[in-house]
Amino acid sequence: MTRTVLCAGLLATVTLHGQTPGPLAFEVASIKPNNSGSTRSGSSISSTGRYEGTNLTLHGLIQDAYRVREFQIVGGPDWIKGDRFDVIGKPSETAPSESLRDMLRTLLADRFKLVVHQEIREQPVYALTLAQTEGKLGQGLVAVDCSQRLCGNTNTNESNGSGTVKGTGLTMEDLAGWTANRVDRAVINRTGLSGTYDVDLKYTSPRPGIAPTNDAPSLFTALQEQLGLKLEGSRGPVEFIVIDHVERPSEN
């Protein structure tokens, strides 16, 4: 009898220590409908790791959670691009800063019952590279230190085919992702630049059928003249997020 009890206890201990940790999640989170009627939206991450999305569609939230662009999300009902939400996610003080996207994915799975899978497809892409072989950057791209300041924010203003963007402390991956949304093609960072940069860019939309309202150059030209970067046509593997299931969230 004693032997049996000891074995059972030992097995229980092994099972306990062998458990897989649960998914990373925000300590406090809120999702509320935004019925303002506005189409202006944005998201930011504070220095403490707090995520805040304002007037975002679920489509936009998936972009943030999986670090993909609009065209890389496949499937789902129409409302994921129409319904808008205000989202706040606050991690615990001990949560690692690099886990924020994992926590946002957990929130979408919990509240929207979102189930997705990933597919890799060979697609035409653009490579973001240095425009000059000596690596000289344009005046609109300035290296900054993000250790003592808020970074990672992008303020884009587009109207009637013309646009400006001011970014604070962006990585080249951030800039490649921003550019991809405007050329409707994946943009792969091949600049070789590390670190973070402030970005100041004035451009006209490269999308067909949109006539600019000022004399700003096309986005392709603006990147080269103002930032010292360029886009080169290429092919490569592109990740797609395929939506298998989703539900409208209940209010909290």
Coordinates of all heavy atoms in Angstrom, one line a residue, residues 156-200:
T156 N 1.0 59.1 -40.0 CA 0.8 59.2 -41.4 C -0.4 60.0 -41.7 O -1.5 59.8 -41.2 CB 0.7 57.8 -42.1 OG1 1.8 57.0 -41.7 CG2 0.6 57.9 -43.6
N157 N -0.3 61.0 -42.6 CA -1.4 61.8 -43.1 C -1.5 61.7 -44.6 O -0.6 62.2 -45.3 CB -1.2 63.3 -42.6 CG -2.4 64.1 -42.9 OD1 -3.4 63.7 -43.3 ND2 -2.2 65.4 -42.7
E158 N -2.5 61.1 -45.1 CA -2.7 61.0 -46.5 C -4.1 61.6 -47.0 O -5.1 61.3 -46.3 CB -2.7 59.5 -46.9 CG -1.3 58.8 -46.7 CD -1.3 57.4 -47.1 OE1 -2.4 56.8 -47.2 OE2 -0.2 56.8 -47.4
S159 N -4.0 62.3 -48.0 CA -5.3 62.9 -48.5 C -5.1 63.2 -50.0 O -4.2 63.8 -50.5 CB -5.5 64.3 -47.8 OG -6.7 64.9 -48.3
N160 N -6.1 62.7 -50.8 CA -6.2 62.9 -52.2 C -4.9 62.6 -53.0 O -4.4 63.3 -53.9 CB -6.6 64.4 -52.5 CG -7.9 64.8 -52.0 OD1 -8.8 64.0 -52.0 ND2 -8.0 66.0 -51.4
G161 N -4.3 61.5 -52.6 CA -3.1 61.0 -53.3 C -1.8 61.5 -52.8 O -0.8 61.1 -53.2
S162 N -1.8 62.5 -51.9 CA -0.6 63.0 -51.3 C -0.4 62.6 -49.9 O -1.4 62.4 -49.2 CB -0.6 64.5 -51.4 OG -0.7 65.0 -52.8
G163 N 0.8 62.5 -49.4 CA 1.0 62.0 -48.1 C 2.3 62.5 -47.4 O 3.2 62.9 -48.1
T164 N 2.3 62.5 -46.1 CA 3.5 62.7 -45.3 C 3.5 61.7 -44.2 O 2.4 61.2 -43.7 CB 3.5 64.1 -44.7 OG1 2.3 64.2 -43.8 CG2 3.4 65.2 -45.7
V165 N 4.7 61.3 -43.8 CA 4.8 60.4 -42.7 C 6.0 60.9 -41.8 O 7.0 61.3 -42.3 CB 5.1 58.9 -43.1 CG1 6.3 58.8 -44.0 CG2 5.2 58.0 -41.9
K166 N 5.7 60.9 -40.5 CA 6.7 61.2 -39.5 C 6.8 60.1 -38.5 O 5.8 59.8 -37.9 CB 6.4 62.5 -38.8 CG 6.5 63.8 -39.7 CD 6.3 65.0 -38.9 CE 6.4 66.3 -39.8 NZ 7.7 66.4 -40.4
G167 N 7.9 59.4 -38.5 CA 8.1 58.3 -37.6 C 9.1 58.6 -36.6 O 10.1 59.2 -36.8
T168 N 8.9 58.1 -35.3 CA 9.9 58.3 -34.3 C 10.4 57.0 -33.8 O 9.7 56.0 -33.4 CB 9.2 59.0 -33.0 OG1 8.1 58.2 -32.6 CG2 8.7 60.3 -33.4
G169 N 11.7 56.8 -34.0 CA 12.4 55.7 -33.5 C 12.0 54.4 -34.2 O 11.7 53.4 -33.6
L170 N 11.9 54.4 -35.5 CA 11.5 53.2 -36.3 C 12.7 52.4 -36.7 O 13.8 52.9 -37.0 CB 10.8 53.6 -37.6 CG 9.5 54.5 -37.4 CD1 8.9 54.7 -38.8 CD2 8.5 53.9 -36.4
T171 N 12.5 51.0 -36.7 CA 13.5 50.2 -37.2 C 13.3 50.1 -38.7 O 12.3 50.5 -39.3 CB 13.4 48.8 -36.6 OG1 12.2 48.2 -37.0 CG2 13.5 48.8 -35.1
M172 N 14.3 49.5 -39.4 CA 14.1 49.3 -40.9 C 13.0 48.3 -41.2 O 12.3 48.4 -42.2 CB 15.4 48.9 -41.5 CG 16.4 50.0 -41.6 SD 15.9 51.4 -42.7 CE 15.5 52.6 -41.4
E173 N 12.8 47.4 -40.2 CA 11.6 46.5 -40.4 C 10.3 47.2 -40.3 O 9.4 46.9 -41.0 CB 11.7 45.4 -39.3 CG 12.9 44.4 -39.4 CD 12.8 43.5 -40.6 OE1 11.7 43.4 -41.2 OE2 13.8 43.0 -41.0
D174 N 10.2 48.2 -39.4 CA 9.0 49.0 -39.3 C 8.8 49.8 -40.6 O 7.7 49.8 -41.1 CB 9.2 50.0 -38.1 CG 9.2 49.4 -36.8 OD1 8.6 48.3 -36.6 OD2 9.8 50.0 -35.9
L175 N 9.8 50.4 -41.1 CA 9.7 51.2 -42.3 C 9.3 50.3 -43.5 O 8.5 50.7 -44.4 CB 11.0 51.9 -42.6 CG 11.0 52.8 -43.8 CD1 9.9 53.9 -43.7 CD2 12.4 53.5 -44.0
A176 N 9.9 49.1 -43.6 CA 9.6 48.2 -44.7 C 8.1 47.8 -44.6 O 7.4 47.7 -45.6 CB 10.4 46.9 -44.6
G177 N 7.6 47.6 -43.4 CA 6.2 47.2 -43.2 C 5.3 48.4 -43.6 O 4.2 48.2 -44.2
W178 N 5.6 49.6 -43.2 CA 4.8 50.8 -43.5 C 4.8 50.9 -45.1 O 3.7 51.2 -45.6 CB 5.5 52.0 -42.9 CG 4.8 53.3 -43.3 CD1 3.7 53.9 -42.6 CD2 5.0 54.1 -44.4 NE1 3.3 55.0 -43.3 CE2 4.1 55.2 -44.4 CE3 6.0 54.1 -45.4 CZ2 4.1 56.2 -45.3 CZ3 6.0 55.1 -46.4 CH2 5.1 56.1 -46.3
T179 N 5.9 50.8 -45.7 CA 6.0 50.9 -47.2 C 5.2 49.8 -47.9 O 4.5 50.1 -48.9 CB 7.5 50.8 -47.6 OG1 8.3 51.7 -46.9 CG2 7.6 51.1 -49.1
A180 N 5.2 48.6 -47.3 CA 4.4 47.5 -48.0 C 2.9 47.8 -48.1 O 2.3 47.4 -49.0 CB 4.6 46.2 -47.2
N181 N 2.4 48.5 -47.1 CA 1.0 48.9 -47.1 C 0.6 49.9 -48.2 O -0.5 50.0 -48.6 CB 0.5 49.5 -45.8 CG 0.1 48.4 -44.8 OD1 -0.3 47.3 -45.2 ND2 0.0 48.8 -43.5
R182 N 1.6 50.5 -48.8 CA 1.4 51.5 -49.8 C 1.7 51.0 -51.2 O 1.3 51.6 -52.2 CB 2.1 52.8 -49.5 CG 1.3 53.6 -48.4 CD 2.1 54.3 -47.4 NE 1.2 54.7 -46.3 CZ 0.9 54.0 -45.3 NH1 1.4 52.8 -45.1 NH2 0.0 54.5 -44.4
V183 N 2.5 49.9 -51.3 CA 2.8 49.4 -52.6 C 2.1 48.1 -52.8 O 2.3 47.4 -53.9 CB 4.3 49.2 -52.8 CG1 5.0 50.6 -52.7 CG2 4.9 48.3 -51.7
D184 N 1.3 47.6 -51.8 CA 0.5 46.4 -52.0 C 1.4 45.2 -52.3 O 1.0 44.3 -53.2 CB -0.6 46.5 -53.0 CG -1.7 47.5 -52.4 OD1 -1.9 47.6 -51.2 OD2 -2.3 48.2 -53.3
R185 N 2.5 45.1 -51.8 CA 3.5 44.0 -52.0 C 4.4 43.9 -50.8 O 4.7 44.9 -50.2 CB 4.3 44.3 -53.3 CG 5.1 43.1 -53.7 CD 6.0 43.4 -54.9 NE 5.2 43.7 -56.1 CZ 5.8 43.8 -57.3 NH1 7.1 43.7 -57.5 NH2 5.0 44.0 -58.4
A186 N 4.8 42.7 -50.4 CA 5.7 42.6 -49.3 C 7.0 43.3 -49.6 O 7.5 43.3 -50.7 CB 5.9 41.1 -49.0
V187 N 7.5 43.9 -48.6 CA 8.8 44.6 -48.7 C 9.8 44.0 -47.7 O 9.5 44.0 -46.5 CB 8.6 46.1 -48.4 CG1 10.0 46.8 -48.4 CG2 7.7 46.8 -49.4
I188 N 10.9 43.5 -48.2 CA 11.9 42.8 -47.4 C 13.0 43.8 -47.1 O 13.6 44.4 -48.0 CB 12.4 41.6 -48.1 CG1 11.2 40.6 -48.4 CG2 13.4 40.9 -47.3 CD1 11.6 39.4 -49.2
N189 N 13.3 43.9 -45.8 CA 14.4 44.8 -45.4 C 15.8 44.2 -45.7 O 16.2 43.2 -45.2 CB 14.3 45.1 -43.9 CG 15.6 45.8 -43.4 OD1 16.2 46.6 -44.1 ND2 15.9 45.6 -42.1
R190 N 16.5 44.8 -46.7 CA 17.8 44.3 -47.0 C 18.8 45.5 -47.0 O 19.8 45.5 -47.7 CB 17.8 43.7 -48.4 CG 17.1 42.4 -48.5 CD 17.1 41.7 -49.8 NE 16.3 40.5 -49.9 CZ 15.9 39.9 -51.0 NH1 16.1 40.4 -52.1 NH2 15.2 38.8 -50.9
T191 N 18.5 46.5 -46.1 CA 19.4 47.6 -46.0 C 20.6 47.3 -45.2 O 21.7 48.0 -45.4 CB 18.6 48.8 -45.2 OG1 18.3 48.3 -43.9 CG2 17.3 49.2 -45.9
G192 N 20.6 46.3 -44.3 CA 21.7 46.1 -43.4 C 21.8 47.0 -42.3 O 22.8 47.0 -41.5
L193 N 20.8 47.9 -42.2 CA 20.9 48.9 -41.1 C 20.2 48.4 -39.8 O 19.1 47.9 -39.9 CB 20.1 50.2 -41.5 CG 20.7 50.9 -42.7 CD1 19.8 52.1 -43.1 CD2 22.1 51.4 -42.5
S194 N 20.9 48.5 -38.7 CA 20.3 48.2 -37.4 C 20.0 49.5 -36.7 O 20.3 50.6 -37.2 CB 21.3 47.3 -36.6 OG 22.5 48.0 -36.4
G195 N 19.5 49.4 -35.5 CA 19.2 50.6 -34.7 C 17.8 51.2 -35.1 O 17.0 50.6 -35.8
T196 N 17.6 52.4 -34.6 CA 16.3 53.0 -34.8 C 16.5 54.4 -35.4 O 17.5 55.1 -35.2 CB 15.6 53.2 -33.5 OG1 16.4 53.7 -32.5 CG2 15.1 51.8 -33.0
Y197 N 15.5 54.9 -36.1 CA 15.6 56.1 -36.9 C 14.3 57.0 -36.8 O 13.2 56.4 -36.8 CB 15.9 55.8 -38.4 CG 17.2 55.1 -38.6 CD1 17.3 53.7 -38.4 CD2 18.3 55.8 -39.0 CE1 18.5 53.0 -38.6 CE2 19.5 55.1 -39.2 CZ 19.6 53.7 -39.0 OH 20.8 53.1 -39.2
D198 N 14.5 58.3 -36.8 CA 13.4 59.2 -37.1 C 13.2 59.3 -38.6 O 14.2 59.5 -39.3 CB 13.6 60.5 -36.4 CG 13.3 60.5 -34.9 OD1 12.8 59.5 -34.4 OD2 13.6 61.5 -34.2
V199 N 11.9 59.3 -39.0 CA 11.7 59.3 -40.5 C 10.8 60.6 -40.8 O 9.8 60.8 -40.1 CB 10.9 58.1 -40.9 CG1 10.6 58.1 -42.4 CG2 11.8 56.8 -40.6
D200 N 11.2 61.3 -41.8 CA 10.4 62.4 -42.3 C 10.3 62.3 -43.8 O 11.3 62.5 -44.5 CB 11.0 63.7 -41.8 CG 10.1 64.9 -42.1 OD1 9.0 64.8 -42.7 OD2 10.5 66.1 -41.6

